[in-house]
Amino acid sequence: MENIDYQKVFTPILDEGERVLGGFKPNRKRLIGGCLFWCIGGLLFYGGFIAVWLATTPSDPEVSEFIRFLVAGIAAGLYVVFAVVMIVVFALLYKHSFYAYTDKRILIRTGIIGVDYRTLDYDFLAAMDVKVGFLDKLLRTNTGSITFGSASSPIVASGAQGGSPFVFSCIDDPYNNLKIIKKAVNEGKDGR
């Protein structure tokens, strides 16, 4: 496990005297594995579509078999390029993603090229939710996501539009970590 100094990672946005109590890095196997799962699933679907197209498209005397297979090959090649780009994007997302909680608020650092920060003060925190999804179970990583909601960014049901921008995604042992964060939130609210 990486030894990460979360105080240093979040230094650009920490208030004077604010202490990072704990932090998380997304589980690499879950994040990259999820990307690979969808890329391979998409490739199988897309490859099946191309195979069906080749099998069912009537032969045209003006279009040679070579041209038909060339078009299918280009389409498959474009998908492979798309999948490789997605894997690189997810690898960069992993590199830049960190989550932490302080004595005052929730902190999220993400980004693909640049670094973006999001914070949610404990005074505005209204709800917390744990979700262990299909890929978390499939990949057997003991991971899940913790979502934090406020009045201006509520937690919404799965599949609904929008949703809270405050999510610790793909973190290890989400149920136990929710208890730890909840304790820190309660102590942070009581300490004011």
Side-chain angles (χ1 to χ4, degrees), residues 5 9 65 126 147 178 189:
D5 182 359
V9 168
E65 288 296 311
T147 304
L178 176 66
K189 285 182 177 181

Side-chain angles (χ1 to χ4, degrees), residues 24-158:
F24 308 97
K25 183 94 175 119
N27 180 294
R28 181 180 304 168
K29 180 181 174 185
R30 167 56 183 88
L31 190 69
I32 304 298
C35 175
L36 288 174
F37 175 83
W38 291 115
C39 287
I40 290 169
L43 183 60
L44 292 174
F45 176 78
Y46 194 61
F49 179 76
I50 291 171
V52 168
W53 175 75
L54 285 172
T56 59
T57 303
S59 294
D60 185 346
E62 294 181 19
V63 178
S64 71
E65 288 296 311
F66 173 76
I67 298 294
R68 289 178 62 224
F69 282 100
L70 179 66
V71 168
I74 290 171
L78 288 173
Y79 183 81
V80 169
V81 168
F82 170 76
V84 168
V85 167
M86 290 307 299
I87 291 167
V88 169
V89 165
F90 272 76
L92 288 172
L93 182 64
Y94 172 79
K95 178 183 175 185
H96 293 274
S97 293
F98 296 90
Y99 312 117
Y101 56 97
T102 72
D103 50 356
K104 298 179 182 181
R105 58 191 169 154
I106 299 294
L107 307 172
I108 298 174
R109 178 181 185 244
T110 60
I112 295 171
I113 296 172
V115 175
D116 305 318
Y117 292 98
R118 276 180 260 138
T119 69
L120 179 61
D121 289 358
Y122 293 158
D123 292 338
F124 300 109
L125 184 59
M128 291 182 253
D129 184 33
V130 173
K131 180 179 180 187
V132 175
F134 169 72
L135 288 176
D136 297 305
K137 290 290 190 182
L138 180 71
L139 297 173
R140 297 178 184 215
T141 52
N142 188 29
T143 57
S145 299
I146 300 176
T147 304
F148 304 92
S150 68
S152 62
S153 60
I155 297 173
V156 295
S158 294

Side-chain angles (χ1 to χ4, degrees), residues 9-20:
V9 168
F10 288 98
T11 295
I13 62 165
L14 291 175
D15 294 338
E16 190 173 320
E18 186 174 12
R19 293 177 305 123
V20 173

